[in-house]
Amino acid sequence: MESLDRQRRNRSMMIMGILTMLIFIVLVVSMNTGYARLSPLEVLSTLFGYGSAKQELILFEFRLPRIIISVWIGAGLAVSGCIMQGVSRNALADPGILGIHAGAGLAIMLFLTFFPTTAAAPIFVLPVLAFIGAGLTAVLIYVLAYKRYKGLSPTRLLLTGIAVAAGISAAMIVLTVRLAPDKFQFLATWMAGSIWGTDWKHVWALLPWLLVLLPYVFMKAQTMNILNLGYEPSLGLGIDVSREQLKLLAAGVALAASCVAVSGGIGFVGLIGPHLARRLVGPRHQFLLPVSALTGGLLIVVADTLGRSLFAPVEIPTGIITAVIGAPYFLYLMARTKV
């Protein structure tokens, strides 16, 4: 048994190393990709301080912040999806599908409706507002889907999340009538899943959330392993199931809300990332959570790079690329999963 655990640990570490290397390779490619192209040699010289003023502007002010945010939001959304799948024991759980993105978007939209201008909106306030909207939505979904003595029902959770998301989306469409053209353009960009937060202030706005939430979730890996056993076995092992579920769901909602506040409504990453990670390292959350983060980061940075390069200078929103990949995968899971 000890030998088997060591083999699994070594395999998981090897996979994490490979994913990290792939992310690094895509980062190098992404730094060379865009409307204004930089050769690998120009990128390297600019990184070491030997580039021209134009090259430094392109690399340090436009591309690097966006690339960093792409990796971070991919990691955050994938870990959020992993939490929701683990807590609800529902293979189809995802922050976007369950309406968390819609709740965050509604809060941001209400803020924009009454705030004078999007340019003046405090960047550090947007993740907080997104968390409030997503948190209220999650509470509503939790209350409607929860069954006493049975915990969260996977079927009820999925159907309730889809219904709530549809209702919120309808409300957002109605509210767009009140928006000025510049605000409507901002919201349309946000809803399409285009990474609009592309400078260093957005990096610093997102960083505190990830620094607090990701270590907390990783420390809860063993608790999530026990919760996967079911409601009654978890109680028998001394876990306060409802309390732990609420804390983990709050962390998952906060991760998703803070990420979509600077990235827009990018969907399916929280669905695909954990599933790919589970196929690579199995269900133990000590390995599943970090591999999900790496997989999600890789997915988003690849999608963003493709969106910027396929039809340059026209940019395809990252959310559309992930939807092209994620929607068929969701239908495939629906066909295989009994819900």
Side-chain angles (χ1 to χ4, degrees):
M1 181 65 71
E2 185 176 340
S3 175
L4 183 60
D5 286 341
R6 188 182 301 109
Q7 289 178 3
R8 287 175 178 172
R9 187 181 299 108
N10 292 338
R11 183 174 185 273
S12 299
M13 295 300 294
M14 181 184 69
I15 289 172
M16 283 188 269
I18 292 172
L19 288 171
T20 302
M21 188 181 303
L22 288 174
I23 290 174
F24 177 77
I25 293 172
V26 177
L27 290 182
V28 174
V29 173
S30 187
M31 284 189 284
N32 291 287
T33 303
Y35 179 68
R37 294 191 177 275
L38 299 177
S39 69
L41 185 60
E42 288 174 333
V43 169
L44 189 62
S45 63
T46 305
L47 286 174
F48 284 96
Y50 296 104
S52 66
K54 180 182 176 181
Q55 290 169 344
E56 290 182 355
L57 178 67
I58 292 171
L59 187 61
F60 291 118
E61 298 302 323
F62 295 135
R63 291 190 184 165
L64 270 181
R66 179 166 183 159
I67 292 170
I68 292 171
I69 285 176
S70 297
V71 176
W72 285 0
I73 63 175
L77 291 174
V79 171
S80 175
C82 189
I83 293 170
M84 294 179 185
Q85 290 172 19
V87 169
S88 65
R89 291 182 294 120
N90 186 345
L92 302 177
D94 167 82
I97 296 170
L98 295 181
I100 304 303
H101 291 184
L106 180 60
I108 292 175
M109 183 176 182
L110 289 172
F111 178 72
L112 294 178
T113 303
F114 300 104
F115 205 83
T117 171
T118 56
I123 298 303
F124 287 85
V125 172
L126 290 180
V128 178
L129 293 171
F131 174 62
I132 292 172
L136 292 174
T137 304
V139 169
L140 176 62
I141 294 170
Y142 184 89
V143 169
L144 294 175
Y146 184 81
K147 281 187 175 182
R148 193 176 184 184
Y149 303 121
K150 293 185 179 180
L152 286 173
S153 166
T155 303
R156 289 170 64 88
L157 181 69
L158 180 65
L159 296 179
T160 302
I162 293 173
V164 170
I168 292 175
S169 298
M172 291 175 69
I173 293 173
V174 173
L175 287 172
T176 54
V177 183
R178 295 177 53 91
L179 293 179
D182 61 324
K183 295 180 181 180
F184 179 82
Q185 182 63 40
F186 173 83
L187 184 68
T189 301
W190 190 94
M191 293 180 69
S194 180
I195 300 176
W196 66 274
T198 57
D199 53 34
W200 290 107
K201 61 184 178 182
H202 295 95
V203 173
W204 302 127
L206 181 59
L207 180 61
W209 295 78
L210 298 182
L211 285 179
V212 172
L213 293 169
L214 288 180
Y216 171 77
V217 173
F218 292 161
M219 288 190 298
K220 288 288 185 179
Q222 184 59 30
T223 300
M224 294 180 69
N225 290 337
I226 297 174
L227 289 175
N228 274 350
L229 299 175
Y231 188 83
E232 293 181 357
S234 298
L235 282 177
L237 290 171
I239 297 293
D240 188 339
V241 176
S242 298
R243 184 177 180 181
E244 293 297 332
Q245 283 180 336
L246 282 173
K247 289 193 294 186
L248 285 166
L249 285 175
V253 168
L255 276 171
S258 59
C259 289
V260 301
V262 298
S263 70
I266 297 177
F268 295 108
V269 178
L271 177 72
I272 301 173
H275 274 274
L276 292 178
R278 197 172 286 108
R279 287 177 178 271
L280 291 172
V281 297
R284 291 184 62 183
H285 285 85
Q286 285 87 345
F287 308 123
L288 179 60
L289 287 167
V291 173
S292 294
L294 291 170
T295 305
L298 180 62
L299 283 171
I300 290 291
V301 76
V302 167
D304 185 57
T305 303
L306 289 174
R308 289 190 289 115
S309 60
L310 284 178
F311 298 102
V314 178
E315 183 177 314
I316 303 174
T318 306
I320 293 178
I321 302 292
T322 59
V324 168
I325 300 170
Y329 191 71
F330 177 71
L331 294 175
Y332 165 73
L333 288 177
M334 281 284 291
R336 290 193 58 196
T337 307
K338 295 179 180 180
V339 296

